[in-house]
Amino acid sequence: MKILLKKHLNLLTIIIGTLFLVVSCSGNDDKADTSVKEVTGSASIGLIDDERILQAESEPGNWLAHGRTYEERRFSPLKQINKETVSELGLVWSKDMGTNRALEATPIVVDGIMFFTSTWSRVYAVNAISGETIWTFDPQVPGEWARKACCDIVNRGVAVYNGKVYSASLDGRLFSLNAETGEVVWEVDTIIDRTRSYTITGAPRVAKGKVYIGNGGAEYGVRGYVTAYDTETGDQAWRFFTVPGNPDLGFEDPAMEMAADTWNGTDWWEFGGGGTVWNSIVYDPDFNNVYLGVGNGSPWSRDIRSPGGGDNLFLSSIVAVDADTGLYKWHYQTTPEDNWDYTAVQDMALAEMEIDGQMKKVLLQAPKNGFFYVIDREDGKVLRAHPFAAVTWATHVDLETGRPVENPAVDWTDNGAWVLPGPLGAHNWQAMSIDLEAGLAYIPTQENPFFYAMQEDYKKTGIYKWTPGKWNMGIEMSSLAQNILNNLDSQPTPGGFLKAFDFLTGETKWSVPIPHYWNGGVLATEGGLVFQGNALGMFSAFDKDTGETLWEFNTYTSMLAPPITFEVNGEQYVSILTGSGGGDLFGGEPLPPIEIQASLIYNNFGRMLVFKIGGKESLPIPNVRDNTIPEQKMVQVSVEQLQDGESKYNQNCAVCHGFVAKSGGALPDLRKMSAGVHDAFNQIVLEGLLASNGMASFADVLTEQEVENIHHYVRARAYEDREVALGNMEEPQYTWFGVEEE
Ligand code: CA
């Protein structure tokens, strides 16, 4: 049957639109219906100040800060739910969040009230034991801002402090809300240049009368920084840039002058440089430091970003700054000369432990690059750096120099190469949990390889064209799908693992394989349990000593968010948000042998689920989603049009709608477009017909002809996959644009 397709192609015959199936082309998300603020009660809570968060261990019933305490170890002393009782764990309440896009928040729970965020940076205050909504706040993010976000309209949570709730919006505003009513106390714009694609998805952190917030946008070309604001007034206290700007304009501080020495070329600042702090910011009361987890370079390719080499500080680094002044203290760079999107934004935990016979105050991080770092908080020296997952980019970290030793066998400068980890990392933002007593980190790890190749245009011309409003990576994106699919045989098999990892010895105590790589964050407890939700929709409790599954609950939805636990009126609860997507949008529907995630089998129901011992509520089993691809109709197009369509699709559309036009479930699968959507295709892509849902106009980067070619490409992919589903074709011919006419 391959011949049939080739024959079609030889006739330059492709297929067009269909008539009867109706498939929504916008993400299902009731943004337009939500008023700015709805209040149905009062979220009365006790005063939360530095002292109370410092003493968080003494009130384990509350989850007072993003990582539970300032140390952010996400390990709870609660043990009513334990190895013996967990079999009785059941659902108490669930709340439908009205979205089928990813939910990533860690709730704050204090005095029976739960504060968390949903899509579009909406904030909720909810009764933690009944699920009743007390107030909601919608910052009314302009829909078109979604195009500036690499990884969808997600948000990872709020901070609660001194009677206020602090939250940031996708379009870069920071809010102080009255914790009882949700009313806005103050609002500031944190973005220094609104013409660049800055976004915020991270949770603010608070300490010492300041609220700390960073941003995202490295893929689009921004310059990273973190700002501290006065919690009461919103006045700016300090700002720390993570990469240097144009030296001709002078440096903001001596740290930037030092950093500039590690960059080369004549105009790196035009590209922005990257280094965004989009996830982890940790306050350290022991040293009065704030630690910034700094992201990848912009563009990804170091040869383009900084021709002639250089470490490019402070990319992929952990930077310690003074909490009061924002002045630089020390840094540790996990990935000098980042060439792979290896962020160091992953969660950081603080601990004090004996290492080599000495008590040390340490910082723990498992960043994307696959090494688990134990860093001395006193001076930033690396004490351990064992690999916690499959790593090929480097052979090891030299503890004498503190630097990784790169593996020349997978240098992709001249020839593309498979590398582990890929850009999703060996561990991403999905939080780990640290069990100090056992000396273990429970880490959601992944082995997800990537085929890195230099951008063809740049290889030919030596000139890199930076385009605002698009992904700027310096990677060959136009043929990325084909590069990957053509090299399937040599591709290391992707997979996910929940690992219990001894970060001092480098030993893996146990490892639970998961047949999909993109899974949720982790919570461990004194009850001897490790909780995690996974891509297949199972929310599970594992024995923390063996990794044995002791309990599981089918949520029918893929999960990314970390579970938390809290106690109200003497009863312990566990909660988790469901709904996947985020940074894996690009992955779309997984290719075999990876198992299809729950969000594709059923749907991607955004829900808050809360459990306790004896909970009796049940979740309705959702209908299996209709994945039928409508019939397509034939029209004549040229191979050149299809090739251009594929190239433009991969550059502009794949990041949300998935590789080879297969969606990952959160955003519309374009192969299933209805006739009406086909008819409106140009209006949607060029005129912003669905901008309020996040599908902004691409008129600034695409011509009408290019949009038409993309449309042809999507139809062609739909035709092919339909033929495979009907048994008329053995397998999809992803490479068919290269087929010679016979
Ligand atoms: Ca990145």
mmCIF file of all heavy atoms in Angstrom, residues 218-219 278 296 300 341 343 368, ligand 1:
data_model
loop_
_atom_site.group_PDB
_atom_site.id
_atom_site.type_symbol
_atom_site.label_atom_id
_atom_site.label_comp_id
_atom_site.label_asym_id
_atom_site.label_seq_id
_atom_site.Cartn_x
_atom_site.Cartn_y
_atom_site.Cartn_z
ATOM 1 N N ALA A 218 13.105 32.370 26.774
ATOM 2 C CA ALA A 218 14.428 32.217 26.154
ATOM 3 C C ALA A 218 14.330 31.738 24.705
ATOM 4 O O ALA A 218 15.091 32.177 23.847
ATOM 5 C CB ALA A 218 15.291 31.248 26.971
ATOM 6 N N GLU A 219 13.384 30.848 24.415
ATOM 7 C CA GLU A 219 13.283 30.322 23.047
ATOM 8 C C GLU A 219 12.970 31.439 22.046
ATOM 9 O O GLU A 219 13.315 31.358 20.888
ATOM 10 C CB GLU A 219 12.206 29.241 22.967
ATOM 11 C CG GLU A 219 12.705 27.848 23.307
ATOM 12 C CD GLU A 219 13.241 27.724 24.728
ATOM 13 O OE1 GLU A 219 12.580 28.232 25.659
ATOM 14 O OE2 GLU A 219 14.313 27.139 24.898
ATOM 15 N N TRP A 278 12.486 30.826 35.157
ATOM 16 C CA TRP A 278 11.035 30.650 34.980
ATOM 17 C C TRP A 278 10.421 29.679 35.975
ATOM 18 O O TRP A 278 9.222 29.447 35.956
ATOM 19 C CB TRP A 278 10.690 30.257 33.556
ATOM 20 C CG TRP A 278 11.379 29.053 32.975
ATOM 21 C CD1 TRP A 278 12.488 29.085 32.157
ATOM 22 C CD2 TRP A 278 11.026 27.669 33.097
ATOM 23 N NE1 TRP A 278 12.830 27.799 31.786
ATOM 24 C CE2 TRP A 278 11.960 26.908 32.339
ATOM 25 C CE3 TRP A 278 10.005 26.985 33.769
ATOM 26 C CZ2 TRP A 278 11.899 25.511 32.244
ATOM 27 C CZ3 TRP A 278 9.953 25.593 33.680
ATOM 28 C CH2 TRP A 278 10.888 24.876 32.921
ATOM 29 N N ASN A 296 18.212 28.178 29.921
ATOM 30 C CA ASN A 296 19.094 27.910 28.794
ATOM 31 C C ASN A 296 19.440 29.173 28.012
ATOM 32 O O ASN A 296 18.865 30.228 28.217
ATOM 33 C CB ASN A 296 18.426 26.900 27.856
ATOM 34 C CG ASN A 296 17.088 27.403 27.351
ATOM 35 O OD1 ASN A 296 16.089 27.294 28.048
ATOM 36 N ND2 ASN A 296 17.048 27.977 26.162
ATOM 37 N N TRP A 300 19.647 28.294 21.187
ATOM 38 C CA TRP A 300 20.235 27.108 21.809
ATOM 39 C C TRP A 300 21.669 26.880 21.335
ATOM 40 O O TRP A 300 22.530 26.507 22.113
ATOM 41 C CB TRP A 300 19.425 25.856 21.458
ATOM 42 C CG TRP A 300 18.083 25.774 22.110
ATOM 43 C CD1 TRP A 300 17.514 26.695 22.951
ATOM 44 C CD2 TRP A 300 17.129 24.716 21.980
ATOM 45 N NE1 TRP A 300 16.271 26.261 23.341
ATOM 46 C CE2 TRP A 300 16.006 25.052 22.762
ATOM 47 C CE3 TRP A 300 17.114 23.517 21.273
ATOM 48 C CZ2 TRP A 300 14.883 24.241 22.860
ATOM 49 C CZ3 TRP A 300 15.999 22.695 21.366
ATOM 50 C CH2 TRP A 300 14.886 23.056 22.154
ATOM 51 N N ASP A 341 19.717 23.391 25.462
ATOM 52 C CA ASP A 341 18.532 23.795 26.227
ATOM 53 C C ASP A 341 18.546 23.157 27.624
ATOM 54 O O ASP A 341 17.507 22.784 28.158
ATOM 55 C CB ASP A 341 17.242 23.422 25.463
ATOM 56 C CG ASP A 341 15.976 23.941 26.139
ATOM 57 O OD1 ASP A 341 16.060 24.923 26.899
ATOM 58 O OD2 ASP A 341 14.905 23.346 25.916
ATOM 59 N N THR A 343 18.442 23.747 30.960
ATOM 60 C CA THR A 343 18.158 24.715 32.014
ATOM 61 C C THR A 343 18.594 24.186 33.387
ATOM 62 O O THR A 343 18.654 22.977 33.611
ATOM 63 C CB THR A 343 16.653 24.985 32.110
ATOM 64 O OG1 THR A 343 16.022 23.794 32.597
ATOM 65 C CG2 THR A 343 16.045 25.361 30.779
ATOM 66 N N LYS A 368 18.094 19.653 34.059
ATOM 67 C CA LYS A 368 17.841 18.924 32.817
ATOM 68 C C LYS A 368 19.028 18.069 32.377
ATOM 69 O O LYS A 368 18.849 17.024 31.772
ATOM 70 C CB LYS A 368 17.536 19.919 31.700
ATOM 71 C CG LYS A 368 16.098 20.357 31.603
ATOM 72 C CD LYS A 368 15.946 21.156 30.303
ATOM 73 C CE LYS A 368 14.575 21.777 30.164
ATOM 74 N NZ LYS A 368 14.501 22.592 28.924
HETATM 75 CA CA CA B 1 14.105 26.226 27.192
#
